[in-house]
Every structure is written in structure tokens, then in C-alpha cells.
């Protein structure tokens, strides 16, 4: 047999497996893994292949980070905040209550200290993280009864996880951890009173409008959640620089493309949901204020015990203060005017 | 000499020149070309190099598209709307008055018909276009006198170009086309009464705060302008598929990274500007309404004469109506609450 010439070393054949924390039925969010896979293959002439697997095909959704840490798979596509049980610092990678919106998450990760600080933390878990998707501000979820005052949260059994669950607990709600596929029957039977998932496009598929009448907004706990690509740190470091570059840019493409998909598909879905008799309701200002104050208490509690969380949280808050000062000038005034035209049927 | 093995053909050495329409001093927007160059080189192991040149180094800023069409350079980094003089359809590629914001431009280009339709049009100019940057909603510009009512625009000589100039003309303003470097002396001497440029970070560098007191917002003509990479169509088609993929993803990175830079740098700049005594003023609702109505007239006039413009404009309007319906639920409610906290000093 003829030995391959030395030049071939520049493009070694590398095959990786990626476990997604999402089912294939959620084409928007699962689609991020497909984007990464396709774009990396295309940019490397098929030499670096990343095969995506849906949640539970090879690794359970909620074990994706562990599988990457211990190199069971080379990478995953997941929400960092699924792993708050290991360390609450994971939450900041995706979204924390009253955190950054989608655009400002990009700003903090790409140009602020976001990628730097989160990767210092992820390195302690043998992980390298890349932003690779966003859903935009999510909906606040499905409720079987109206939530008009802060007191109405008392005793409400709600499917909501992580830090947001701790916040609602302070208001008297009873947070529950339930996997996506189990929410519908739980809501139907009344085992739970409320559930949050993503937004119109994904929620419509799961049929929640059939078993809960009120659809509240916004999800104050997910103002612009980042979906991450997690790569085993040793595997990342062993990649040829060109493949690191191809993967970095493929994730940047996936990041923007997922947001674009949600923004393109959600408008139709919200109309379908309303046409089924769902009532849309904003959380009152009082409720949002109470949740905001409860969130600050939770952050104080966590920060007192966790140096990583404290350090990264404080950096993000400093960024957020500045960013929301600027955003309320041109950006907000422009959008407000456009929305007035939309409501008046003049767009 | 030893002949190169056939395998080397997979990574041919290709060197391109890119002309930017921006000076190096505007590091945010010129930086987009540098991002593209660096990321393409990294992903191709240095085999595909794109050398960026600042405006006027090899091609004048406003001739970038022509230089690409006739293959003087392989590509440029520019604003499509600089070329409205050739055809008004170019304007839609960047921003038209009361068009899409930055996030919705991404949605329309990536997942709506934006990239498809604009590239059908660009192909008539021998150009292939890729979104490769955004500034976000720009500021409405610098005015030497207050603009309180629609009538106050009468006779105002303002540096503003393209379709926005036609809109303000309907209100009685006198639009002027002046290159970036000539704006300051024109404002200082009073040759013009007002000028729009970009936003705080770029405007501060040019020192406009020294010669005009009022800084209005928003730029209703630039709700989220897209910066484009234009590639000569034959050159694009002749690229190996892996290089096309690398360039596509590098532009996606540059697109998000530029927006992130503006969002990170503008907050500091707006405070610097205000500290110099500048007065920030929103355009009144009446003024925005009058400009909106004037814009619709302009679109009707252009559409009556230009099939390309009509077709693409109508597609974007249909997308905009749907998108702004959805954006005003969770996204807007979330941002509004966060801005209230910011104003109350509670962020």
C-alpha cells in the first residue's frame, strides 16, 4: 500500500460524536447541532465530522455535560443551566432571572468577559464552551388559573427548574422538575398547576394550549438564554488550529441561525395558539418587581457560598447596567414606534 | 523539482484583496473586514488569505461595489445602500426607513427570504452578498437647533443620504451628501445645520459634540443596518466549496461580533458625549409619524418604477408585520422591565 504523503497531516480525519440535550422534534433547538455538524464538515472538506445524536440516543439529556467532562462523547449541545445541581455557576452560561437579553448575551460573551470567565469556570469541569444558539426571551409559561397578584403564586405547583424555581419558591410557589415529555400529562391530570417550556413554536407542538388556558409572559428567568456547545477540554486542545477555527465559526453561525429560526417561526405559532382559545397575559409590574427582589436575595445567598458564581455574576451585572442604559435610547425608541404601527395595523 | 501530490489541490493557495468602505479609525466597522480575514485564514490553515484595505487605499469608499462587479478586487466590506444611485434596491440590503431592527434583519436574511432575494438582485450586478456586520439602531444625528415639530425640519440642511434623504426632503429639509471626514468642518462653519453618522462610539471620535448641541434619536432610517461582504460572483463560484463554507461562517462570526462591539462600546461613549454638554432628545411621536408617512410615499414612488425594489420591499414588509407582532410580547415586556430597573438605579 502507498503511504499517505506527509501533507495529508494538515487535514487529519477526525470523527466526533455530539450528544444533544434536545429531541429531534424540536427542530429549532436540535437544529443547532445539525448546523454545527454541517458547517464544520463543509469547511473541512468532510475531514472533521461531528455526528449529532438526539437526547437519550446515546446519553440522557441531563447528563450531557458529564459525558463531555469524562470524554464519553467529545461534545454536546445543551443548556449550561441544566447543570446547576453540580454548581450554580453553570446557570450564568445560559440565563439567570433578570439577566441579559439575547443580543446583550452575545455582547457579553463575545466582547465582554463572558466567554473568558465562563471558560475559566468550565475548565474546572474539563469543558470548553462556545455559544451556539439562543431562543430569545421565552414565554412565562402555561397556567391553569389566573395569576393576578403576587399572592396568587402561593401553593402553585409549577414545572420550573434551577434558580428560577428558587425565586418562585420565595413567593410561595412549589417548583417541580419534570422532563419535557412528562409535562403535558402532569398538567392534564392537575398534578401540576403550571409549566414553563420555551415559546410559541415549541410549546404549540407539545399541545399545552389544550390543558392550560393562560399563557403568561415574559419568562423573567430567561430573557435571552444561550444554548452552548460544550467540548471536552483535552479534545478541544488536541484539535488542529484550523479545526478549532472551523468549529468556532460554525457555532457562531448556529448561534445566529437558531435565533433567526425562532424569530421566523414564533409569529405564526403565537397566532395558532391564540386561535385555539388561549388567553395571553403579561405578568403584572407588581409580580415582576416581587420576583426581581426575590432574585436579588437568591443571588446574595448563592454568592455568599460560591466564589465562581459571585465573580461571574458581578461581572455580568456591571455589564448589564451599562448596556441597558444605552439600549433604551435608539433601540428601544425605534422598536416602540414600530410596535405602535403594528398595533395600529399600519406596518 | 518534485511535483506537488494531487492531494494538495484540496487546499489551493488563494489570495484575495478586500476593499473596505470604512477607515481604519472606525475600528468597530472596519474591524469586520479584519474578522473575516483572520477567521478565513485560520479555518483554511492560511491557504485562503483575504487582505483587507481601508477605504481609499486601493478603491474609494463609494466605488467598492463597482470594484467587485468588475473584479478589480475579489471582495469588499461595505453598506449595500451606498449604491442606491445605481439602483434603489441596494438600499434594502442595509436598511430602509422604518425597516427591520438588527435581530429581525438576521431573521429575514438567514431564515426569511432576505439572502435569497437580495442575492437574486445582486447577481444582476455580478455580486454575491453575505451579511457581515450590524451597528444596531443608529442615532438620529446632530442638530445645531432643536427640532420640536415637523415644521422645524423646513430648510434644515442635513447630511443624510439615499432614501432617508428623500423622506426628509418631503418634510422640507435639504439633504446633502457629504463624506464622513468632511462633516465636522461643514457643521462647524454652518454650511450644514445637521448631520447623521452612526452612533455614540463612532460619533464621539469625530467630535461632533463640539459643533452641534442636540443629539437626536432614533435614526428611523437605520433601525438595524446590515454591513455586507460583497464577493465578485464569478470569484465566489470558482472557490472550492470548503473555502465558500469558511467564508460564509467567518461572515456570520463578523456579523455577530460587530454588533457585540457596538453594544459594548456605545454605553461608555454615550456617557462621554453627555458629559461634554450634549443634550439628548428623542424625535417626537408626531415627527416620527410624519416621517413614516413620507417613507410610505417614497416606497410607492420607487416601487412604481422598479420591479426588483417592489418585489423585495413587499417581502420584507410582510415579514416585518409578523415579526413585530411577536416581538412585543415577551421580548419587549422583558426589556421594558429591565429598563425601568436601570432608570431606578436597581440593576
Amino acid at each position: 500500500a502507498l503511504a499517505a504523503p506527509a501533507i495529508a497531516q494538515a487535514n487529519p480525519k477526525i470523527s466526533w460524536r455530539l450528544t444533544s440535550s434536545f429531541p429531534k422534534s424540536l427542530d429549532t433547538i436540535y437544529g443547532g447541532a445539525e448546523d454545527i455538524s454541517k458547517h464544520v464538515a463543509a469547511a473541512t472538506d468532510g475531514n472533521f465530522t461531528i455526528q449529532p445524536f438526539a437526547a437519550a440516543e446515546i446519553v440522557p439529556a441531563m447528563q450531557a455535560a458529564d459525558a463531555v467532562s469524562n470524554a464519553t462523547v467529545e461534545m454536546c449541545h445543551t443548556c449550561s443551566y441544566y447543570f446547576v445541581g453540580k454548581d450554580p455557576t453553570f446557570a450564568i452560561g445560559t440565563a439567570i432571572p433578570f439577566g441579559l437579553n439575547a443580543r446583550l448575551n452575545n455582547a457579553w460573551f463575545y466582547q465582554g468577559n463572558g466567554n473568558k470567565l465562563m471558560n475559566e469556570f468550565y475548565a474546572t469541569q474539563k469543558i470548553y464552551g462556545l455559544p451556539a444558539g439562543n431562543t430569545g426571551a421565552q414565554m412565562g409559561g402555561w397556567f391553569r388559573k389566573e395569576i393576578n397578584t403576587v399572592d396568587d403564586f402561593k401553593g402553585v405547583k409549577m414545572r420550573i427548574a434551577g434558580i428560577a424555581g428558587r425565586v418562585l419558591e420565595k413567593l410561595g410557589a412549589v417548583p417541580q422538575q419534570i422532563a419535557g415529555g412528562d409535562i403535558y400529562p402532569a398538567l392534564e391530570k392537575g398534578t401540576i398547576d403550571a409549566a414553563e417550556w420555551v415559546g410559541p413554536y415549541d410549546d404549540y407542538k407539545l399541545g399545552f394550549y389544550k390543558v392550560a388556558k393562560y399563557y403568561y409572559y415574559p419568562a423573567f428567568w430567561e430573557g435571552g438564554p444561550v444554548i452552548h456547545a460544550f467540548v471536552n477540554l483535552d479534545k478541544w486542545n488536541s484539535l488542529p488550529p484550523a479545526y478549532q477555527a472551523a468549529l468556532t465559526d460554525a457555532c457562531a453561525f448556529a448561534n445566529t441561525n437558531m435565533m433567526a429560526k425562532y424569530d421566523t417561526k414564533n409569529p405564526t405559532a403565537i397566532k395558532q395558539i391564540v386561535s385555539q382559545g388561549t388567553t395571553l397575559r403579561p405578568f403584572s409590574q407588581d409580580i415582576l418587581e416581587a420576583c426581581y427582589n426575590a432574585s436579588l436575595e437568591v443571588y446574595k445567598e448563592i454568592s455568599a457560598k460560591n466564589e465562581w458564581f459571585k465573580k461571574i455574576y458581578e461581572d455580568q451585572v456591571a455589564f448589564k447596567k451599562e448596556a441597558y442604559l444605552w439600549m433604551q435610547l435608539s433601540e428601544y425608541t425605534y422598536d416602540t414606534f414600530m410596535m405602535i404601527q403594528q398595533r395600529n395595523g399600519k406596518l
Side-chain angles (χ1 to χ4, degrees), chain A:
Chain A
L2 189 67
I7 198 170
Q9 292 303 317
N11 299 312
K13 288 270 181 195
I14 294 181
S15 295
W16 278 12
R17 296 189 307 167
L18 175 157
T19 187
S20 169
S21 290
F22 315 105
K24 279 189 185 151
S25 56
L26 298 180
D27 58 307
T28 36
I29 199 162
Y30 178 77
E34 293 181 316
D35 274 346
I36 293 168
S37 171
K38 280 181 201 164
H39 282 246
V40 165
T44 63
D45 254 329
N47 288 308
F48 180 17
T49 59
I50 297 170
Q51 188 181 358
F53 292 90
E57 275 194 275
I58 54 172
V59 175
M62 299 299 156
Q63 290 170 32
D66 279 336
V68 170
S69 289
N70 60 35
T72 305
V73 291
E74 289 84 0
M75 65 182 290
C76 70
H77 190 237
T78 191
C79 292
S80 180
Y81 67 11
Y82 287 161
F83 312 104
V84 284
K86 297 159 69 73
D87 189 312
T89 312
F90 272 106
I92 308 175
T94 311
I96 55 175
F98 303 101
L100 301 169
N101 66 15
R103 183 162 135 184
L104 295 182
N105 257 322
N106 279 339
W108 183 64
F109 272 97
Y110 283 67
Q111 287 288 322
N113 296 319
N115 268 331
K116 181 180 161 287
L117 291 174
M118 284 310 302
N119 274 316
E120 284 174 17
F121 166 72
Y122 291 144
T124 69
Q125 315 283 320
K126 298 240 170 249
I127 287 170
Y128 180 74
L130 291 150
N134 205 300
T135 67
Q138 296 196 357
M139 289 292 281
W142 298 86
F143 289 75
R144 288 162 58 99
K145 63 161 196 162
E146 290 182 70
I147 301 289
N148 294 315
T149 67
V150 177
D151 278 351
D152 290 336
F153 270 112
K154 285 213 163 61
V156 166
K157 293 193 286 284
M158 181 169 183
R159 186 270 178 194
I160 186 167
I163 293 179
R166 280 180 67 170
V167 170
L168 284 183
E169 213 166 13
K170 285 190 185 281
L171 272 62
V174 185
Q176 315 267 319
Q177 299 240 28
I178 300 177
D182 300 331
I183 299 174
Y184 184 94
L187 257 184
E188 190 178 29
K189 286 178 206 148
T191 316
I192 55 174
D193 308 302
E196 66 90 32
W197 182 237
V198 181
Y201 181 70
D202 295 336
D203 290 10
Y204 184 68
K205 285 187 183 174
L206 295 183
F208 299 139
Y209 62 88
K210 295 177 199 160
V211 288
K213 182 168 179 200
Y214 301 98
Y215 198 19
Y216 276 86
Y217 63 88
F220 59 80
W221 53 93
E222 296 180 293
V226 175
I227 317 301
H228 263 86
F230 279 171
V231 183
N232 175 277
L233 189 58
D234 294 333
K235 296 284 178 185
W236 170 259
N237 287 330
S238 73
L239 278 184
Y243 291 6
Q244 288 182 340
L247 181 50
T248 298
D249 286 2
C251 287
F253 180 90
N255 186 14
T256 302
N257 201 38
M258 188 190 294
M259 189 69 264
K261 276 188 195 165
Y262 276 112
D263 283 338
T264 304
K265 290 171 184 286
N266 275 329
T268 305
I270 193 72
K271 289 199 279 191
Q272 287 171 320
I273 285 170
V274 169
S275 77
Q276 299 291 335
T278 294
T279 301
L280 295 178
R281 287 278 168 82
F283 285 128
S284 72
Q285 194 69 10
D286 278 355
I287 288 173
L288 291 175
E289 295 270 3
C291 293
Y292 186 76
N293 293 331
S295 299
L296 295 184
E297 283 177 37
V298 171
Y299 296 141
K300 199 177 272 186
E301 291 161 14
I302 300 174
S303 294
K305 290 186 203 166
N306 189 305
E307 275 302 314
W308 275 115
F309 185 93
K310 182 172 188 291
K311 178 182 172 180
I312 303 178
Y313 170 73
E314 286 176 358
D315 183 85
Q316 195 187 67
V317 168
F319 188 92
K320 182 168 67 175
K321 279 183 190 172
E322 297 293 300
Y324 267 117
L325 166 66
W326 161 236
M327 289 285 279
Q328 68 195 276
L329 296 178
S330 277
E331 201 69 41
Y332 188 78
T333 311
Y334 186 85
D335 280 342
T336 300
F337 182 79
M338 295 303 280
M339 288 170 191
I340 292 168
Q341 304 310 306
Q342 196 282 332
R343 288 190 180 206
N344 292 340
K346 286 179 72 184
L347 269 197

